[in-house]
Structures are given as C-alpha cells and as structure tokens.
Amino acid sequence: ITDRKDLQAQLSATAELTGESVEKAGNTAQLKKLLARDGPGLVFGTVQKYRDPNTRDPDPEDDQNEADNDTPTAGLDSGRRDAAEPGAYSRGGMPKKPTLSEPFEVLNTSEDILILVDEAHRTQAGDLHANMMRALPNAARIGFTGTPIIMGDKKRTHDIFGEYIDRYTIKEAEQDGATVPILYEGRTAKGAIKDGASLDGLFEDLFRDHSKEELEAIKKKYATKGQIFEAPQLIQEKAQDILRHYVTHILPNGVKAQLVAYSRRAALRYFEALEQAKAELLEEAMALSPEDKALDDTQLLIRPLRVKAAIQAWRYRQVLRQLEFAVVFSSSNNDDSAWARWSDRAAVEAHIKRFKKPLPPLGGETPLTLQQQDPTKHDTLAFLIVKSMLLTGFDAPIEGVMYLDRSLREAELLQAIARVNRTGHGKTHGIVVDYFGVANHLKEALAAYSEEDIDGALQSLKDEIPLLRDRHLRVIDVLRGQGVDDLDDAEEAVQALADERLRAEFMVKLKEFNRGLDDVLPRPEGLEFVNDAKRLAYIHALARNRYKDTPELGRDIGNKVRKLIDDYVISLGIDPRIPPVQLTDAEFDAHIGRQVGDRAMASEMEHAVRSHVRKHLDEDPVKFGRLSERLEELLQQLDGQWADQVEALKTLIQQLREGATVDGEAIPEMPAHAEPFWRELVASAGLEVEQMDAATAQTLLDTTEEVVAMIQQEIVIPDFWKPSHIPDQERLKQHLFSQLMMGNLVPMDQAEATAERLFDLARSNHARLINA
C-alpha cells in the first residue's frame, strides 16, 4: 500500500527485480478482485482505492494541492484523506466537502496475507485504513515511514500498527553513510519571520528601515501576509542574495538548488528575479579590477560578501552564463494561460529529468559550450523553484541546497529538508538556507516529535566552527604523537607516517578536517585553518608519492578545499592529481634525484620496490615473495646507512626493471608467461632446483607446458572469469587437479590446494596467457 502513484511505480519496479509476478490495481473494482482470490500473489494498490470506485489517485508529483488562492494550504483531515489529492478544491479555489468512503465488504479472511504500508505516517488513521482492515480482517500489517512518529495528542501510528519492530534514526543513517548531514543557515533579517506573526509584526521586521509614512503606504499596498511575501521588491532582494550565496558557496562543488517559495505567484516572481540577479552578478564580475580577478583563495576569505560573490562569479562565469532556472507547480482551473509552461505535466517531467543531470564541468578558462555539451550527461538547469511540489519523495542526489522561503512544520519540514541529504556527486553535506525563520523556531516546528528521533535533523553552520577546530586538532595530533611538532618539516612528517595503520588514521582524520573546512569556506571563519590545511595536504602528497598506497584525497572533500590545497601543492612541484611515480616510469630516476638527502632517497626507493612487489605479487607469488624477503634482508643489514642503502636499492631496482630472475635462481628455458607456473610447481613439490636430476627436471618442465597449454585452451571463452562461467571455472580446476595427479609431482594431499593456486595464477596472468 502506498499513497502516491510515483511511489507505487518505484516500489513495484523494485519488487519485479525479485522475479515475482507483480500486479497493480488500476481501480477499486480491480483491487477488490485481486484481494478476493485465493493463493499466492504480490499486489500493489494505493490507499485511496479503499474509498470509491470513481475516485482518482493522487497526482504522481503533487504532495499538496496548490489552489488558486495561492496561500499555503493545511491539508484536510489527515486522518481521513491525504492533502495531496486532486479534487480537494472546487473550481473557485474553495475547499470541497470531503467525499465519504463507501464501506468495504470482507474480501479475504486468510491469515496468510501480509500488508506492507509505505508512508505509514499519512492516510492511515481514518476510514481508508478501516476499509482495508474490513476487507482483510486477519492480515498482518507492517508500516514503514521515513518520518519520525508523531508524539503526544497526535500520536496515531503506534495505535494502528503497534510498537516498533526496528528504528533507524537520522544520526545512524549519517554515521552509516546512507545520508549526508544537513546544515542550516539563516539569511537576512528580512527573512527571519516567526510563523504566525501578526501583520504589524511582519511590517516592523521586514520594513524596519522605512519611515512611519512609508510604512503606512506599504500597509495600504500589502493587506495580507501573502501579498507581503509575494512583494516583487522583497523577492528581488532575496533572489540577489540567493544567487550570490549559490555562486559563492554551492556552485564550486557542482551541485544544484531547490527554492521553496511562499506561493505559486511568488515562485514565478522568483524566476524573473533570479534571471535579473544573474545578469547583474555577471556585470559585477566583469567590472572587477584585475587585482580582484587574480585573488587566490586565501585572500578571497577576507573580502566583503558582495565582492566575494563577484569574484566567484568571475571564476565560474562561463557556467554561470548558461545557468537556467525553472518553476515547477501543479495547475489550477483559474490559472493564467502563461503559467502552463510550468504546470504542464510534460514540462514538469522534462524539468525534473534535466535537473537530475550534473552541471557541465566547471574547471578551465573555456568550459564546454552548449553546442559541445552532451545533453545525455550534463544540463545547465540549476534551480527548481517550487511551492509544494517535490518536497516529499523527490530523489535527486545532485541537489545540494534548499532555499526556504515559506513556513514548513512537522512531517512536511522533515520531508522537505531530506531532499538535500542524498549521497552522491561528492557531497559531504546538504544545506538548508532559511529566509523565512523556520530554522530559528525549529524546536516549535518539530515539537510533535521526540528529541531522539529528530536529533541531527538540522545542524547550524555556526556549530561547525568548534567542530572544525576539533577535527583540526585530531589530525595534527596524529603527527604530534610521533614527535612531529613542526608541519613545515615535511620529510620528518612523512617518515613518521611510515606505519601503514598510522597513514590510514592520518588519511581518515585529514579527510574529516578537509570536509569540515569545505563546509565553512569561503567564510572568514575558515581563515585560521587554511595554512595548516595547505601544509597537511603537502605532507599527504609526499606520503602518497612515497608509500604508493595512500589514496588521492578525491572529490569527497569538496571542491573549494580541493582547489585551495591543490594550487598550493602544485606550486611546490607536486600535482596531487597525478598517480605516484613507479619505479618502471621513465621519470623515476629524475624523481629520486629531486629528493633532499640520502635518507629521503633511500625511503623513496624502498617504497617504490614495495609498491612494485605488491602490484605483481599475484602474478608470480614465488618470485616476488623472494624479492620481498631480499628487500627486508637488505634493509636490516644496512639499517641507518642511507648512502649504502641507496646503492644496494639501485641494484635491486635494476633487477626488477629488467625482469631478471631472483639471485641464484637457475630456471630452464621457457616462455616468460610459463615461468610463474613452473615456480609454483617447484615450490609445491618441495623441490630444490640445484639438486634435481635430469628426469625430474624434464617431468617438471613437461608438466608446466601441459598445464599452461590446457589453461590457455580453457580461458579463451569470453568473460571466462565472470560468475556466469563458474561451471567452466570448476572444470578448469578439475583438469588442473587431474594433471597434477598424473604428473605425480605433488603429494596427493596437496594436489587440490596446488590446483587452486595454479587457478589463481591463471586469473592473474590472463592477458599474458591469451596474448602469448
């Protein structure tokens, strides 16, 4: 059971992946027929079908009806019917008297029926649910809801479904990485309005800078709250601030925005105001002085907000010129014909589809033009402006910010802000920017819920500064614990990170610090952390090059921080986007020559050998296992003798580059791709090459050739190593086992394990065997 067609489509499509036959009831009569039959089946139906055969289902995208009077509407009796339902308003925009449902007859008394109810916090407390239970009196019921259960006088869900089977809180979802945290920020005094304030209170707050005479004139012009929040001048001011905020804080990370307006008329005015604000911001950007255009990210932090926005607009001017805005709302009977371009169902679906695609790449002086962009991959529609649509169930991971300019409470508020908590596109958090004052009165707006359930629903950006300070100390303490007190001593810090576990801890804490800094930048509060962020990034880049196993910081730290630290590290001669230099790379010798001192050179060479051995170990475990042992012996013998280590490592590296045999190894002549199999057979048989007689040596060589030939014949099957070819893989293992038993080289009790190792060697050497 769902309460919206789009949810039914989504969930039924998922259910079909199980291979079960899924049936969807198109109307009440069909639903009754499906439920009345005996035997197994999986049936989907919307809860509204438990009313009347002629009642329509809710519109797929409308979660609240948007009537002609354009004021935010409270739903009808939430225990009886969903406010989402079209038909709840008459042609004149006045609420209709709700249609009473017709009682259902008993359809099926089986105890083997399970009812799964999605969105169990809505539409389940009245006659619709009662009809469902009358139709299926012995069914078991499980309710699912992504919204916390309402407490106090409004508590209904427990009464209907019983106690919790399981709970998964907002905090737990964030900790698991299922969602990202949501931060909120209040903007402009002209937006912080307490819901329910009187008209006089609104005037005093919104127009406090005006004289008494001007205030009286304004009062005459705007007689209602709706007129105030639809006032073009107020919307224009907010639109300018919204666009500056977006370009400064959000656009650099490549995510998109949703704007929730007070009414449909306000949404339309926001569209025009944002278009105008974009043109004005581009003008300001082009008028900047050459010095401002050339500012680096550190200097940017201390510039005034308006200048900061213009500088960011200059940096992203190519993409900003292409940015588009769209209004999305439902139609009503008395709409102006010009509104159809936004409310037409095809237009709505097209705008939603476009919005879900990523923005074009932001980098470079000449980003892709509209003609060069691939419309299947990228789209410049960056803002969806709504009143009530898309506030629940809308899933667009690319959405990183919601600009809120109307009152939302309880379930609607929680559902709305969750639009920005989806993971993906490098997001470390979602942001709600509040122009109405909802966040300022969050406790009141969510008073119907228990504190435990809503803990972490919204976190103030102001609270991120002490959290950032803590994360900064944590990453610094990783190095301090190893005796590194000066971050400018980069080599000492890199040496301190020689332990793999310590590097992993450093990496985790550095990413947390960088993510926190990205939340704050480019606000001036981030200034005190910027220099250490640069130093730590340089240490990370050196450690990544040195130890070869340290991953790139990646996009998940946020593009603002990424650009800041990349520019700094590149200026010191390392491009963190380029993979570490390997010993087989042409520039390896030059890279070693740039190291300061024998200790740094020896360390670079040691870890280049380790990385090479690690990379090729699966291809020839015996050979590279011995080389690893040789490296450890060398380091132990020459401990602290850095110059001698450098010379000894040069010899070992040369051996690795030339693919030479291990010191002292006498291997008969054979193709290079067969050598790993020969070594495995020698090791598995417990033989010593130097002590083998001619007959044993020949048997070993013949068995190797037969094993390799058989493997080559088997693995030519396309996609041989995929799960779909497990029977073919098992056949290969059986053939290897038989070959070993016939060759009589390996003890019987070890033949199966040896066959498994030869099988793994075949997988690791697939390309060489196929191309031989």
Side-chain angles (χ1 to χ4, degrees):
I1 298 297
T2 66
D3 64 356
R4 296 199 339 268
K5 280 183 178 178
D6 60 335
L7 282 178
Q8 177 171 283
Q10 175 187 335
L11 294 175
S12 60
T14 303
E16 288 169 356
L17 297 176
T18 66
E20 294 286 341
S21 176
V22 177
E23 295 176 277
K24 287 171 282 209
N27 54 50
T28 299
Q30 187 181 0
L31 179 68
K32 288 182 176 182
K33 182 178 179 180
L34 289 171
L35 295 181
R37 72 184 184 191
D38 292 328
L42 186 54
V43 176
F44 276 78
T46 55
V47 72
Q48 288 80 6
K49 289 185 173 67
Y50 289 90
R51 177 181 291 117
D52 183 286
N54 299 315
T55 300
R56 288 194 304 149
D57 275 357
D59 190 279
E61 295 294 342
D62 273 346
D63 291 304
Q64 290 191 4
N65 191 281
E66 299 174 309
D68 290 339
N69 58 15
D70 265 334
T71 57
T73 59
L76 302 174
D77 178 5
S78 61
R80 263 215 358 79
R81 84 183 271 157
D82 189 4
E85 208 166 344
Y89 286 81
S90 67
R91 293 181 63 86
M94 296 302 292
K96 281 183 179 179
K97 184 177 180 180
T99 304
L100 294 175
S101 60
E102 295 182 1
F104 265 43
E105 65 273 24
V106 174
L107 298 175
N108 200 319
T109 58
S110 172
E111 295 180 354
D112 298 330
I113 296 173
L114 172 63
I115 304 173
L116 302 179
V117 177
D118 193 31
E119 302 288 5
H121 64 283
R122 309 195 304 190
T123 63
Q124 300 300 321
D127 53 350
L128 302 180
H129 186 92
N131 271 349
M132 181 175 70
M133 290 313 302
R134 188 178 292 110
L136 306 169
N138 299 320
R141 293 165 297 160
I142 297 178
F144 297 86
T145 175
T147 303
I149 304 302
I150 291 179
M151 309 300 290
D153 294 338
K154 297 184 180 180
K155 179 178 175 181
R156 293 187 177 125
T157 312
H158 287 165
D159 299 334
I160 300 166
F161 291 95
E163 292 305 311
Y164 291 116
I165 296 175
D166 186 52
R167 297 171 71 184
Y168 190 54
T169 65
I170 294 169
K171 277 291 187 188
E172 287 174 320
E174 290 174 7
Q175 290 164 0
D176 289 348
T179 61
V180 296
I182 304 174
L183 306 177
Y184 77 83
E185 174 180 10
R187 299 286 291 185
T188 75
K190 291 190 176 182
I193 309 302
K194 183 175 180 179
D195 188 31
S198 66
L199 278 179
D200 287 340
L202 290 179
F203 282 122
E204 288 175 10
D205 190 34
L206 291 171
F207 306 105
R208 61 167 59 94
D209 298 331
H210 294 257
S211 67
K212 287 184 178 181
E213 292 76 16
E214 290 171 329
L215 197 57
E216 285 303 317
I218 292 170
K219 284 184 179 181
K220 288 179 182 178
K221 185 175 181 181
Y222 303 119
T224 68
K225 265 196 212 180
Q227 288 177 321
I228 294 172
F229 286 105
E230 292 169 355
Q233 181 183 354
L234 185 59
I235 286 177
Q236 185 64 52
E237 289 180 11
K238 289 181 180 179
Q240 290 169 344
D241 191 69
I242 285 170
L243 193 64
R244 289 191 188 111
H245 180 277
Y246 177 78
V247 170
T248 304
H249 300 282
I250 310 300
L251 178 60
N253 282 332
V255 290
K256 296 187 177 183
Q258 189 172 355
L259 195 165
V260 184
Y262 185 81
S263 64
R264 294 188 303 158
R265 187 169 289 106
L268 290 167
R269 288 177 177 171
Y270 259 119
F271 171 77
E272 297 171 354
L274 284 168
E275 290 281 9
Q276 184 178 335
K278 184 179 85 169
E280 292 170 355
L281 185 56
L282 282 167
E283 281 184 23
E284 292 175 21
M286 302 307 289
L288 287 169
S289 68
E291 292 76 20
D292 280 341
K293 290 177 180 177
L295 282 182
D296 65 26
D297 287 331
T298 306
Q299 296 168 315
L300 179 70
L301 298 178
I302 58 175
R303 299 312 301 270
L305 293 175
R306 186 159 182 159
V307 176
K308 196 179 292 183
I311 292 170
Q312 292 284 65
W314 166 257
R315 291 176 174 181
Y316 300 106
R317 60 194 180 280
Q318 302 288 4
V319 171
L320 179 57
R321 285 193 186 103
Q322 300 174 23
L323 282 194
E324 296 178 65
F325 315 94
V327 179
V328 174
F329 54 51
S330 58
S331 61
S332 190
N333 293 319
N334 296 334
D335 284 352
D336 187 304
S337 59
W339 291 20
R341 63 178 290 209
W342 305 121
S343 60
D344 175 75
R345 174 54 55 190
V348 168
E349 291 177 355
H351 288 137
I352 290 171
K353 185 177 180 181
R354 290 183 60 197
F355 180 78
K356 290 185 176 184
K357 295 177 186 176
L359 287 168
L362 300 176
E365 281 298 304
T366 55
L368 301 178
T369 64
L370 284 171
Q371 291 73 29
Q372 294 170 322
Q373 291 165 23
D374 183 350
T376 64
K377 294 181 180 179
H378 301 106
D379 201 287
T380 53
L381 179 56
F383 273 70
L384 287 184
I385 309 166
V386 306
K387 182 246 175 179
S388 295
M389 287 183 70
L390 311 184
L391 296 188
T392 68
F394 178 53
D395 192 12
I398 192 67
E399 184 176 332
V401 62
M402 174 175 283
Y403 295 102
L404 197 56
D405 195 25
R406 80 170 178 87
S407 175
L408 296 175
R409 299 179 67 85
E410 296 176 0
E412 189 183 18
L413 174 59
L414 288 178
Q415 290 274 0
I417 64 177
R419 298 316 101 212
V420 297
N421 75 357
R422 303 304 197 251
T423 60
H425 300 281
K427 281 163 57 178
T428 60
H429 60 273
I431 294 182
V432 172
V433 184
D434 182 13
Y435 286 84
F436 198 87
V438 174
N440 293 341
H441 307 280
L442 189 64
K443 190 171 182 180
E444 297 167 31
L446 298 178
Y449 300 110
S450 71
E451 290 188 14
E452 178 187 359
D453 280 347
I454 61 170
D455 181 35
L458 276 174
Q459 303 164 49
S460 173
L461 259 170
K462 295 176 182 177
D463 297 334
E464 290 299 295
I465 304 302
L467 183 59
L468 176 59
R469 190 166 284 110
D470 178 67
R471 289 174 173 174
H472 172 244
L473 290 174
R474 286 174 183 270
V475 68
I476 296 292
D477 283 345
V478 173
L479 297 173
R480 283 179 179 164
Q482 302 301 308
V484 180
D485 295 321
D486 184 2
L487 294 183
D488 287 327
D489 191 345
E491 179 59 32
E492 189 67 27
V494 172
Q495 293 288 346
L497 294 172
D499 180 81
E500 187 175 357
R501 289 186 181 183
L502 198 71
R503 286 200 299 280
E505 181 184 359
F506 175 76
M507 185 68 182
V508 167
K509 291 180 177 177
L510 178 59
K511 278 196 170 188
E512 287 177 351
F513 168 59
N514 282 333
R515 287 180 190 133
L517 184 57
D518 193 79
D519 294 346
V520 173
L521 291 180
R523 298 170 181 86
E525 292 89 342
L527 188 60
E528 65 177 288
F529 304 102
V530 163
N531 286 334
D532 276 359
K534 292 177 178 179
R535 295 185 183 103
L536 290 165
Y538 181 56
I539 291 168
H540 167 268
L542 289 174
R544 181 168 178 258
N545 274 347
R546 177 75 51 85
Y547 302 114
K548 320 297 181 188
D549 59 354
T550 304
E552 187 184 3
L553 285 173
R555 275 199 65 200
D556 58 346
I557 65 170
N559 283 352
K560 289 175 285 184
V561 165
R562 181 64 186 262
K563 182 179 183 303
L564 180 84
I565 60 181
D566 278 4
D567 289 349
Y568 177 75
V569 175
I570 289 170
S571 73
L572 295 176
I574 301 176
D575 190 338
R577 296 163 296 192
I578 296 176
V581 179
Q582 305 291 342
L583 62 80
T584 52
D585 293 343
E587 64 271 25
F588 179 77
D589 291 338
H591 172 70
I592 295 298
R594 287 194 293 269
Q595 305 308 308
V596 180
D598 289 337
R599 183 184 182 189
M601 291 177 65
S603 182
E604 284 283 348
M605 296 167 80
E606 170 200 340
H607 291 286
V609 172
R610 291 189 188 281
S611 175
H612 187 82
V613 167
R614 200 164 50 236
K615 181 179 179 181
H616 296 283
L617 187 62
D618 290 343
E619 297 170 11
D620 197 338
V622 176
K623 174 182 177 179
F624 285 98
R626 289 175 183 166
L627 284 167
S628 180
E629 292 170 2
R630 175 74 187 109
L631 174 64
E632 298 304 328
E633 290 171 4
L634 183 154
L635 295 173
Q636 189 173 359
Q637 292 168 2
L638 301 173
D639 184 28
Q641 303 174 47
W642 310 121
D644 292 339
Q645 274 192 27
V646 168
E647 293 304 315
L649 287 166
K650 281 181 181 177
T651 303
L652 185 58
I653 286 171
Q654 194 60 34
Q655 281 184 318
L656 290 170
R657 283 174 169 172
E658 294 172 356
T661 58
V662 183
D663 292 344
E665 181 184 53
I667 188 168
E669 185 175 343
M670 68 179 73
H673 66 267
E675 289 182 8
F677 298 90
W678 180 85
R679 289 192 182 93
E680 183 57 54
L681 288 171
V682 171
S684 297
L687 299 172
E688 295 289 339
V689 177
E690 297 81 5
Q691 299 174 6
M692 270 192 288
D693 56 43
T696 304
Q698 189 59 48
T699 301
L700 181 64
L701 188 59
D702 292 343
T703 303
T704 301
E705 290 177 354
E706 290 166 1
V707 163
V708 170
M710 188 220 335
I711 290 172
Q712 288 175 309
Q713 184 178 349
E714 293 284 344
I715 65 175
V716 293
I717 298 172
D719 301 321
F720 180 83
W721 302 106
K722 288 189 174 180
S724 57
H725 287 283
I726 286 178
D728 298 319
Q729 297 168 22
E730 292 300 325
R731 184 179 66 244
L732 173 57
K733 288 182 187 178
Q734 186 58 46
H735 287 171
L736 289 170
F737 177 79
S738 301
Q739 195 74 42
L740 291 172
M741 296 304 293
M742 286 188 295
N744 202 29
L745 274 174
V746 178
M748 185 179 299
D749 61 346
Q750 296 180 29
E752 186 175 352
T754 303
E756 193 75 38
R757 288 194 293 273
L758 291 171
F759 176 83
D760 290 339
L761 270 179
R763 188 199 303 267
S764 299
N765 289 277
H766 177 86
R768 296 172 69 191
L769 291 165
I770 289 295
N771 297 324

